[in-house]
Structure formats: C-alpha cells, structure tokens
Amino acid sequence: MPVTFTFGEMLSARSVIGTTLAELGAEHENLWVLTPDIGATLVEFRDTYPDRFLDVGLAEQVCVGIAAGLAYDGNIPVVSGMLPFLSMRALEQVRTDVCYPNLPVKIIGTHGGLVGNGGSTHYAVEDLAIMCSLTNMTVTSIGDPLMVGEILRQSMSMRGPIYIRLAVGKKDMVLYEPGEHEVRIGKGIVAREGTDATIFTHGTVVAQALQAADELAKDGRSVRVVDMFTLKPIDEDLIAQCAEETDGRFVVLEDHLAYGGLASRIADVLADRGIHLTAFERLGIPQVYAGFGEDEELRDKHGYGLDATIAATRRVIAAQS
Amino acid sequence: MARTSLRSAEDRPSVEELEDLAFELRSKLLHLCGTYEGAVHIGGDLSAADIFTALFHYGLEVDPSDIANPERDRFVLSKGHAAVCMYITMAIRGFFSYDGIVETYGKLDSAYGMHPCKVQLPGVEASTGSLGHGLPLAVGMALGARHRGEDHRVVCLLGDGETGEGSVWEAAMAARSNELGNLVAFIDRNRQLMTSFAEERVVFEPYADKWRAFGWNVIETDGHDMAKLVAAIDALPATDSDRPTVVIAETVKGKGVDFMEHNLAWHAGSLGAADLERAMASLEANRKKETV
Ligand SMILES: Cc1ncc(C[n+]2csc(CCOP(=O)(O)OP(=O)(O)O)c2C)c(N)n1
Ligand SMILES: [Mg+2]
C-alpha cells in the first residue's frame, strides 16, 4: 500500500532512492546500479541483485565510464554518488562517454547546493550550469523526496541520459501530496497559485519559496510558486504564461550559482522569445567559495535565505511597470 | 645536502612522550565527536592519530610561530576528511587554540570544519576534501622546491581507499619521472573505505608492489607503533635523492575504541554523552593494555 505523507513532514530522499531502485531492479533485468563508494542507501539493491551492482571504490571517472560501457549493450545503468565529484571529476566521462553517444545513463546524487556543512569541496554549486551545457543531457533538481522515485521511474523509458540533483537527502520536507500535481519531466509544477508575481525555484529551496509565499499572503500578496524541477529541457510555455499571468514580475530562487542555473535558463527564454518583464530578481549563490555553516545560515549569509526571498518578492511586486 | 632544521634535536619528544601526545589527541577527538552535533570522520581520524603525532611532533620541520617560513616542510592532507585530526594535532603542537576548535567547529564563519580550508585557516597548506587531489599538489610543491634549490620535504597523507583515484597514480608516475626524493607519501592503510572493506569490492593487493612498480622507495610499517613510525621517519632518504618515498602505515580504522574498530558504521558519526563515556573508557583500557 502506498504510504501517504502530508505537506511539511520529513522523509529521506535517499531511502526513496533505495526502495525505488530495488523495485525497478525487479521490473527491469537490465538495470544496473553503480557507485563510487557511496553505497549506504543502495544496500537493498546490492543484496537483491548483487550481479547488477558495482561499487568501484574511490573512482568516479571509472564509475561513469563503466556505466557508459554497460549502456552500449542495452543495459540501463544508474550511477549514484556525491554530485560535486560526479559532475566535475567525471565530467569528461559524462560528456564524451555518456552524452555524446546519447546513452541512457542516469546520474543521481546528493550535495547539490550549500548543504551538508562539508565546506567548498563538498558543495556542488556549479553543477547545473555544467550539466545544462551538455548536449543530450536532461537536467533535474528535486526537492520533494517522493518525487525522486517518480522521476527515476519516468526516466526508465528515456533514450538519453539524465542528471538528478538532490540536497543532502537525509531529511527532506514533503512538499506535495502524492497525486496532487502531475509530475512530468520537462513540465514545471505550479506549486502555489498566485497573480502578483512568480517565484521560480527548484530543489531544496522550493520549501523556502512556499514559506515566503505564505508570509506574503498574510499581507494580501498573491504569489505564485513554480517548482521548475526540470532545468533542461525547460518549460518555456510555462515561463511565458507566468509572465503574462503574474504581470511580468519574476523572482528566481535557487541553491546554485545565481548565474548559470535556473535564472540564466529563464533569462535565455525571455530574451529568445522577446518577452519583456516588469521586474526580475535572481537569488542564488554569489561567486564565492562558501565556508562552513548550516544550510539555512549559509543561505542567509549569502543573500538567498527566507528573508531575502520575501524582500526580493516585495520589491518585484512594488516595481513600477 | 643537509636539511635545514627549524629546531634542535633535543626539542624532539621521545617515543614515550609521543605516545602520550597521541593519547591526548585521541581523547580530544573523542571529546569533539561526543559534543559536536554533526558527524565527525572519527574512524579515519583515529587510524591516522599516531601518524599525525609522529609527523607534527617529530618528523616535520615546522614552526608554529613562523608558519610562512619558506624552509618549513610542507604537509598536505590529501584525506581531507581527517581535517579535525590535523586541527587538533596542530593545536597540541601550538599552531591553533584547542578551545577555539571545540567552540566553533562546524559553525558559521568558523575556520574549522569538516574539510580543511587554506583560505580560512592559515597554517593549513592546501584546501582538500575531494579525494585524489593531495598528491598532485604535493608533486607540484616538491617540484617547485627543487627548482628554487630548497631542501625541505613535502609530505602528503592519503587514505588507502583514496588511492583508488586515478589521479593518485598519475601523480605517482610524475613524481618518479621528476626524481622527487623530497616527496614523501604516507598511506593510512586501514583497509577500509567508506562503505566496504579493502579487497571486498576493490582489490588493493599486492599494494606495496604497486608503489614499487611505479618506481617509489617503499617503507612498510605499523602505523600504531610509535617507535616504528619514528624509525620510518628516520629512514627517509635525503631530500636531494632521486626517488619519492611512500610509507605504508598499517592501521586500524577507529583505533583505540573497541566498538569503532573495524566497523563500517564508524567511518563518520557522532557520539552522544553516554557513548562518549563508553568510548573514553575503551580508549583508557586499551592504553593500559598496551603499557603493561
Ligand atoms: C572524490 C571524492 N569522492 C568521494 C568522497 C566521499 N568520501 C569521503 S571519505 C571516503 C572514504 C575514504 O576512504 P579512505 O581513503 O580509505 O579513507 P579512511 O579510511 O582513512 O577514512 C569517501 C568515499 C570524497 N570526499 N571525495
Ligand atoms: Mg581507508
């Protein structure tokens, strides 16, 4: 029986990955799971399908290279690990061995954004910019823990590669009731309706955007929140629609460099389509090597925390048209 | 070429004193692991504690009051997740304030956190944490020292699991090719990775032969026997020799605390107050056993 969760409860995205992969392993005999020594959540799959599980040890490049090799012969490999190392150490393998031949390799991992308090070596803050630049790559960033399972399932029928970004994945806020929204790769989710402005966001800070919308609602502000969990291909029509329906007032909030991630993707669509906005603000990580601190503290320090989100949204709403 | 010495031979602690210093280091590590709320990489801290002590108190020519001295030995912590073991070792040696570490560890704007940051913490030679970076950096430092005609050493500490990274072996080849006798790699050979034991998923053996095949001078030793660690350091070749040296130090992950030893669950974790007491008791008991 499916377990249901209500908004605000905590769930571990990692455990969802573990369970989903074990289920998918039963359904697809060609599904492989590979990891560079980040296997704690993969135990169920490892123990059930030991001949389709590979832990290569500390060797991210080889892990992605092997996945590509497996995919050549019709296998569907999932590489699970930590994103700073999968997106950068193994980048050429991702680009040349996986994306170039357009192979169905799934790269899923944690530590997207200033999360986990590991310091700059352990924050993936450029990964979406990098991944979005790769031909054939589908790029996602997931905040709702249950959605991770759904995205993995949908990705099974994809021809090419997909990148799935999570935060730490140990304790994530459940954002949506199962079935509340249609979840489809390539389509944004209108997580909250509104007409005064739109906050576009993805990943772990969707919860923060919803909180900001709640706060602003107390002042009678109607703020739309769009969970743009697919950064590539981006939902262009939804961007155009929001420009029209929320008076051209946009805030983009993301736990990624403020330049190069979702804000840049949206700005590209606006420029390409000739859409003129009234106001546009981007909240994200400035170009610094951030130090230590808890997730929320770092967001506050670097100017994209809850208060900054509320303030930016107010400014955008107040802007002269 | 005679190495420059930043201190006199009498300043070096004896083996017994080094053992006491290592015990102090382990006690302080456990204390932090018992009071800090987040995870501490205690397994690989405890396995490296004797190596750190032998290096910072005996082997390395470093001066806490003159951290930019160009003649100092350079130490690169390639297994950056053992940062706190380095911070506390250096605090005991006089580089940092131990209280400062305990009070601010992992907090916003602290210089001390999970992985070492050269920018935030002067005295640390390299920002590491992503495994497989330290040895290439050390090769560059050793090459630079050669070029400038300096005779200090560059010492790099790696995890054994870390040596699965291809960059380690690329650096090993470059070090040999450039005849870097001023470069020393220490391997914390605790035979564990994060989620598996050595040989279970990744075959490392014949490990010393791999390094020999890359043209390195190999010293194999017991990474928890202070006298042997000191002997290994004494046996390092002159810095103007032409072969890099690797000291493969056989260790136990979680060394000193029974319930942490050889236990994958203690790669990283945090001790509550009750478990801290249990861990300290085990540490004390194991020390008594060794001194009998
Ligand atoms: C490139 C990279 N991949 C993965 C990690 C995550 N990680 C940290 S420690 C560790 C295991 C390291 O094992 P080993 O080198 O043997 O260190 P030790 O046993 O001394 O802790 C892993 C996988 C990392 N820090 N860097
Ligand atoms: Mg190890």
Side-chain angles (χ1 to χ4, degrees), chain A residues 37-40 46 53 55-60 82 85 89 116-119 121-122 290-294 297-298 301, chain B residues 36 87 106-115 120 128-133 161-162 164-165 167 193-196 201-202:
Chain A
D37 195 24
I38 310 290
R46 181 193 74 191
F53 175 81
D55 178 352
V56 296
L58 270 293
E60 291 78 9
M82 291 169 72
F85 316 128
R89 179 77 48 93
N117 203 355
T121 55
H122 280 56
F292 305 110
E294 296 305 323
E297 292 174 331
L298 289 174
K301 176 176 173 181
Chain B
Y36 176 63
Y87 305 148
K107 296 209 173 107
L108 187 68
D109 294 328
S110 175
Y112 309 104
M114 199 185 286
H115 301 97
Q120 295 170 91
T128 53
S130 176
L131 296 166
H133 285 247
E162 179 183 7
E165 295 285 356
S167 56
L193 295 77
M194 181 151 98
T195 51
S196 72
R201 305 253 163 213
V202 182

Side-chain angles (χ1 to χ4, degrees), chain A residues 48-289:
Chain A
T48 320
Y49 310 104
D51 57 334
R52 288 189 272 140
F53 175 81
L54 186 66
D55 178 352
V56 296
L58 270 293
E60 291 78 9
Q61 300 181 47
V62 140
C63 197
V64 175
I66 293 174
L70 282 165
Y72 266 107
D73 280 330
N75 293 298
I76 303 182
V78 177
V79 176
S80 177
M82 291 169 72
L83 294 181
F85 316 128
L86 291 179
S87 69
M88 295 190 286
R89 179 77 48 93
L91 175 58
E92 203 188 349
Q93 278 75 14
V94 173
R95 183 262 197 189
T96 300
D97 301 335
V98 172
C99 290
Y100 184 10
N102 198 20
L103 296 169
V105 174
K106 295 152 211 341
I107 294 169
I108 184 163
T110 58
H111 294 77
L114 298 185
V115 295
N117 203 355
S120 279
T121 55
H122 280 56
Y123 303 137
V125 301
E126 312 88 345
D127 60 322
L128 296 172
I130 297 169
M131 289 299 145
C132 283
S133 71
L134 302 180
T135 302
N136 290 329
M137 183 62 100
T138 295
V139 181
T140 63
S141 166
I142 315 291
D144 180 79
L146 288 166
M147 228 168 94
V148 179
E150 178 56 30
I151 296 301
L152 268 174
R153 285 196 165 275
Q154 283 185 24
S155 75
M156 292 304 293
S157 56
M158 283 173 59
R159 218 186 123 229
I162 183 169
Y163 181 80
I164 305 172
R165 180 199 221 228
L166 309 172
V168 172
K170 283 188 176 159
K171 234 172 90 186
D172 306 277
M173 194 186 288
V174 175
L175 302 173
Y176 315 121
E177 288 281 357
E180 184 186 350
H181 298 284
E182 189 199 0
V183 173
R184 201 140 53 87
I185 295 169
K187 292 283 163 211
I189 292 175
V190 179
R192 181 74 45 90
E193 271 304 347
T195 51
D196 292 342
T198 305
I199 304 177
F200 289 94
T201 182
H202 60 82
T204 187
V205 290
V206 174
Q208 183 181 303
L210 289 169
Q211 233 178 314
D214 284 345
E215 286 302 314
L216 289 158
K218 290 178 190 163
D219 300 345
R221 298 301 184 188
S222 162
V223 176
R224 180 178 296 187
V225 175
V226 172
D227 180 350
M228 203 63 120
F229 70 88
T230 313
L231 280 89
K232 182 170 175 260
I234 193 123
D235 190 345
E236 295 196 18
D237 291 343
L238 183 58
I239 295 169
Q241 192 186 329
C242 292
E244 211 171 289
E245 293 174 358
T246 66
D247 196 28
R249 296 167 195 275
F250 283 7
V251 172
V252 186
L253 165 69
E254 56 189 322
D255 203 357
H256 181 273
L257 291 183
Y259 289 81
L262 180 62
S264 298
R265 308 270 316 149
I266 290 175
D268 284 349
V269 172
L270 296 171
D272 288 349
R273 287 204 173 191
I275 298 170
H276 193 80
L277 290 188
T278 309
F280 180 87
E281 288 215 25
R282 55 176 98 210
L283 299 174
I285 307 167
Q287 287 223 315
V288 297
Y289 288 100

Side-chain angles (χ1 to χ4, degrees), chain B residues 128-143:
Chain B
T128 53
S130 176
L131 296 166
H133 285 247
L135 197 59
L137 289 173
V139 169
M141 292 177 183
L143 202 55

